[in-house]
Amino acid sequence: MKKLVLLFLILSSFVARAQKVTGYWYGQANVEMAGIQNNYLTELIISQKGNTVKGFFGYYFKDVYQSFVVKGTFDPKTKKLVINNIPIIYFRTNSTMASVDCITSFYGTLRVSKVKSELNGYFYRDKKYTYTCPDLRVNYTLYTEAKVTDSIFKDMASTRSFWKAQPPAPDVVKSNDAKMESEMAAVAEKTGSVKKAADSTVTTSIPQTQPAAKTEIVSSEKTPALLAVQPPVMQADIIKINEDFRKRKLIVSKQIEVSSDSVRLSFYDNAEVDGDSISVFLNGKLVVAHQGLTERAFNVYVQLDSSLAINEVSMFAENLGKYPPNTALMVISDGDKRYETYLSSDFKGNATIRLKLRRNSLAGN
């Protein structure tokens, strides 16, 4: 009898674990149109508590990697995972630097077997994109060696990084696949991360030689391509940005009164586009990282803390571009009102704007 009870408890524990979607998932999303070969290498790093799911969605497309904070729901009975409002670059875009996003919702079904765990489903386009954006079919596989805990999400943020192709070294050209694999394994053992050597690419904003930070995600020679390249290095890179931000002074240039506790921040390069790259902080917390400044704005939507008298938005300079310092035009959209201000940051100071909520707006809340 005791053996039966023990067996029942073991099976119940296994079933409970099998119903969870917590973990690192990697896969490929394909355009659902005949004759179209465009696809996206994609990943989900998510944590489940009850029926709620949170984490990061990221993907590679052509020469860009993007990641976003996501929230969703998971139903253990139907094994259905739903994540709404995921922006994905339009598959026919000619330039990822000036791309248009399709807003999609992911609907996936969890399938667990003795061999592997899978999340299969679609990124369904929003109704307003019916005649422009196709649906994307995706198959995710769980990477069982990666352990996901809440600590992973502590210092991570939405990111955008561009990859620039480099001419391969002569020895790489002459080497065979076996040699390439042994070299990658040696790098993994030495640094704790794996370089993306197969296509000889480097990112303009993430140093590949940087060792991985101490994290719950484990990297090895068996690591899938997405995990090997992005999460360990990106995690270390994001942590370094946080550390460098705290070392620099906050240079407050202006205080603006706003009526809404949710505003849109738009950033442009205010002069000649010279390769400036920035991160944005709200009240000392990283909101978005690795954003290049161009003549085309990138937008950040922030929720202000109404319990604070003042909210601080800071621009952290990741580099100084071709013409120092790192300068930007920031436009604050507060309902139907618009405020413009110029920011200038360097390696000693973070340009900061203070946003003050009007008292009547606080009373209305």
Side-chain angles (χ1 to χ4, degrees):
M1 184 65 180
K2 290 183 178 179
K3 290 183 178 180
L4 289 176
V5 172
L6 181 60
L7 179 60
F8 174 77
L9 292 174
I10 293 174
L11 290 175
S12 298
S13 177
F14 173 77
V15 171
R17 288 196 303 270
Q19 302 306 315
K20 281 188 170 289
V21 289
T22 295
Y24 174 84
W25 302 85
Y26 65 97
Q28 180 172 297
N30 298 297
V31 176
E32 284 287 284
M33 291 180 65
I36 301 298
Q37 302 299 319
N38 298 56
N39 56 57
Y40 305 73
L41 295 178
T42 175
E43 59 190 355
L44 273 173
I45 306 175
I46 52 178
S47 175
Q48 177 190 342
K49 287 187 177 180
N51 290 351
T52 302
V53 171
K54 70 173 184 178
F56 287 83
F57 162 79
Y59 69 92
Y60 290 94
F61 180 71
K62 294 186 176 180
D63 62 345
V64 66
Y65 171 84
Q66 295 198 91
S67 69
F68 306 92
V69 177
V70 293
K71 295 181 179 179
T73 59
F74 177 72
D75 187 337
K77 294 182 179 179
T78 62
K79 299 182 180 180
K80 300 290 185 182
L81 173 65
V82 179
I83 300 175
N84 294 316
N85 299 319
I86 299 178
I88 299 179
I89 288 180
Y90 178 52
F91 77 103
R92 279 182 173 155
T93 188
N94 293 321
S95 171
T96 53
M97 291 286 289
S99 60
V100 176
D101 289 338
C102 298
I103 306 302
T104 68
S105 294
F106 174 67
Y107 287 79
T109 302
L110 175 65
R111 300 181 186 277
V112 179
S113 68
K114 293 181 179 180
V115 179
K116 60 181 178 180
S117 296
E118 295 180 301
L119 268 174
N120 299 325
Y122 286 86
F123 288 99
Y124 290 109
R125 62 187 181 273
D126 189 275
K127 289 183 179 179
K128 65 182 178 181
Y129 299 102
T130 300
Y131 301 104
T132 54
C133 299
D135 295 331
L136 303 175
R137 180 178 179 84
V138 63
N139 296 314
Y140 282 113
T141 300
L142 178 66
Y143 179 61
T144 56
E145 292 186 29
K147 299 178 182 179
V148 174
T149 66
D150 287 343
S151 62
I152 291 176
F153 308 112
K154 183 178 180 181
D155 280 332
M156 293 186 72
S158 301
T159 60
R160 194 181 194 200
S161 303
F162 290 90
W163 300 81
K164 184 182 295 184
Q166 301 292 320
D171 60 330
V172 175
V173 175
K174 296 178 182 179
S175 65
N176 54 32
D177 291 342
K179 182 179 178 181
M180 289 282 285
E181 291 179 1
S182 65
E183 289 176 351
M184 291 175 67
V187 172
E189 182 178 355
K190 183 177 180 180
T191 67
S193 61
V194 183
K195 290 185 178 180
K196 186 178 181 182
D199 59 359
S200 299
T201 59
V202 296
T203 176
T204 58
S205 57
I206 303 175
Q208 287 185 301
T209 55
Q210 183 178 0
K214 293 181 179 179
T215 173
E216 295 297 330
I217 295 183
V218 181
S219 177
S220 70
E221 64 270 19
K222 297 179 181 179
T223 307
L226 282 174
L227 181 60
V229 177
Q230 201 62 37
V233 179
M234 182 64 73
Q235 175 85 338
D237 191 44
I238 295 301
I239 291 173
K240 187 176 187 303
I241 288 176
N242 277 275
E243 292 175 346
D244 289 344
F245 173 82
R246 298 183 186 104
K247 293 176 183 177
R248 301 178 188 179
K249 295 181 180 179
L250 294 184
I251 303 174
V252 180
S253 59
K254 185 179 292 188
Q255 178 170 301
I256 299 173
E257 281 196 340
V258 295
S259 58
S260 174
D261 62 357
S262 178
V263 298
R264 184 184 71 192
L265 309 176
S266 303
F267 293 84
Y268 305 79
D269 194 313
N270 72 308
E272 181 179 345
V273 177
D274 62 343
D276 288 339
S277 180
I278 67 170
S279 292
V280 180
F281 285 76
L282 175 65
N283 299 324
K285 181 177 177 58
L286 184 60
V287 177
V288 63
H290 296 317
Q291 287 288 349
L293 294 175
T294 69
E295 70 283 351
R296 177 175 178 261
F298 78 82
N299 299 312
V300 182
Y301 295 86
V302 295
Q303 182 74 35
L304 303 181
D305 188 344
S306 58
S307 67
L308 300 176
I310 298 292
N311 283 259
E312 293 183 336
V313 176
S314 302
M315 184 182 84
F316 172 87
E318 295 181 359
N319 60 23
L320 300 182
K322 186 177 179 181
Y323 306 107
N326 194 318
T327 56
L329 167 65
M330 181 176 72
V331 179
I332 302 168
S333 299
D334 175 28
D336 58 353
K337 294 186 177 180
R338 171 187 170 104
Y339 307 93
E340 294 186 0
T341 184
Y342 292 95
L343 303 176
S344 178
S345 297
D346 56 24
F347 294 152
K348 295 182 179 179
N350 304 306
T352 302
I353 298 295
R354 287 179 172 171
L355 301 180
K356 180 180 180 181
L357 278 169
R358 293 190 180 95
R359 290 185 178 182
N360 60 346
S361 67
L362 289 174
N365 291 334

